[in-house]
Amino acid sequence: MSAEVTKEIELEIAYVLFVDIVGYSKLVTSEQRRLLELLNQVVRQSEHFRSAEAKHRLLTVPTGDGMALVFYNTPQAPVECALEISTAASEHPELKLRMGIHSGPVSGVVDVSGRSNIAGAGINIAQRVMDCGDAGHILVSKHMAEDLEAVRPLEATSARAGGMRGKARRARFGRQSLHRRPWESRGAAKVCPGTT
């Protein structure tokens, strides 16, 4: 095994933002393609996406109906990126997104076609967290919330300064939800077991 492949499969802790388009599978192919292109455009315009990409501290993994963004810089980066994506997506009502964020181990893998890819609990749990949400939700795992609080309190992030309230609503298993003010009337998101 070459040194390059060995380095690729080392386990690292990453901060994963999982994004998908709600109702994607019910759309006709041309609309799926259009919304994926719009999502890619919105994500690429995010300041935190561009910054992490320029520093080579970001991996992107397409998932068919969305993407996983794997950040290797700070725990705030995926949260800030999610908030920027949410703000930009609000200008396109047809683009209904849900997002989940988790910090955990990931490693590089070589897929069946010989290309580099990424796998691990960090990716899997971020997807599970996202699956608990509805359109417009940004959900954060308990582990990710603890990482954020270790750096600085969630309420002190620029999310609050940018018109978003980083108010934590704790469900029984400890997942937290970041809400835009209009979302608060929905109450706490569903309880989704196994995402701590």
Side-chain angles (χ1 to χ4, degrees), residues 100-103 120-130 141 194-196:
I101 306 171
H102 178 67
S103 61
I123 294 270
N124 298 341
I125 294 176
Q127 183 176 10
R128 274 195 237 153
V129 170
M130 178 201 65
S141 71
T195 60
T196 52

Side-chain angles (χ1 to χ4, degrees), residues 125-147:
I125 294 176
Q127 183 176 10
R128 274 195 237 153
V129 170
M130 178 201 65
D131 288 343
C132 290
D134 297 320
H137 282 168
I138 300 170
L139 302 179
V140 178
S141 71
K142 180 180 178 185
H143 192 270
M144 183 68 186
E146 290 168 353
D147 287 351

Side-chain angles (χ1 to χ4, degrees), residues 107-120:
S107 63
V109 295
V110 178
D111 67 19
V112 69
S113 60
R115 288 178 285 208
S116 294
N117 205 331
I118 196 151

Side-chain angles (χ1 to χ4, degrees), residues 32-191:
Q32 288 177 341
R33 186 178 310 117
R34 187 182 76 78
L35 289 179
L36 271 178
E37 289 171 4
L38 180 56
L39 174 59
N40 288 334
Q41 179 184 2
V42 163
V43 169
R44 292 204 69 76
Q45 291 174 351
S46 160
E47 177 185 333
H48 283 82
F49 176 92
R50 289 192 320 260
S51 173
E53 185 179 49
K55 295 174 184 169
H56 305 288
R57 304 304 296 157
L58 174 73
L59 291 175
T60 58
V61 181
T63 61
D65 61 351
M67 65 190 67
L69 304 177
V70 183
F71 291 84
Y72 291 96
N73 46 6
T74 67
Q76 295 99 325
V79 173
E80 298 292 350
C81 186
L83 295 170
E84 290 167 355
I85 292 168
S86 178
T87 299
S90 69
E91 297 173 15
H92 306 279
E94 72 278 23
L95 188 60
K96 295 174 176 50
L97 303 177
R98 61 184 180 166
M99 295 180 246
I101 306 171
H102 178 67
S103 61
V106 298
S107 63
V109 295
V110 178
D111 67 19
V112 69
S113 60
R115 288 178 285 208
S116 294
N117 205 331
I118 196 151
I123 294 270
N124 298 341
I125 294 176
Q127 183 176 10
R128 274 195 237 153
V129 170
M130 178 201 65
D131 288 343
C132 290
D134 297 320
H137 282 168
I138 300 170
L139 302 179
V140 178
S141 71
K142 180 180 178 185
H143 192 270
M144 183 68 186
E146 290 168 353
D147 287 351
L148 288 164
E149 288 172 2
V151 176
R152 62 183 185 193
L154 190 56
E155 289 79 11
T157 66
S158 65
R160 187 174 187 179
M164 302 291 287
R165 187 176 341 171
K167 182 176 180 181
R169 290 192 177 199
R170 294 184 185 272
R172 281 176 287 177
F173 66 92
R175 181 202 58 237
Q176 296 189 356
S177 178
L178 302 177
H179 293 274
R180 284 183 183 272
R181 285 188 173 90
W183 300 346
E184 290 181 343
S185 61
R186 291 186 182 188
K190 300 177 283 189
V191 172

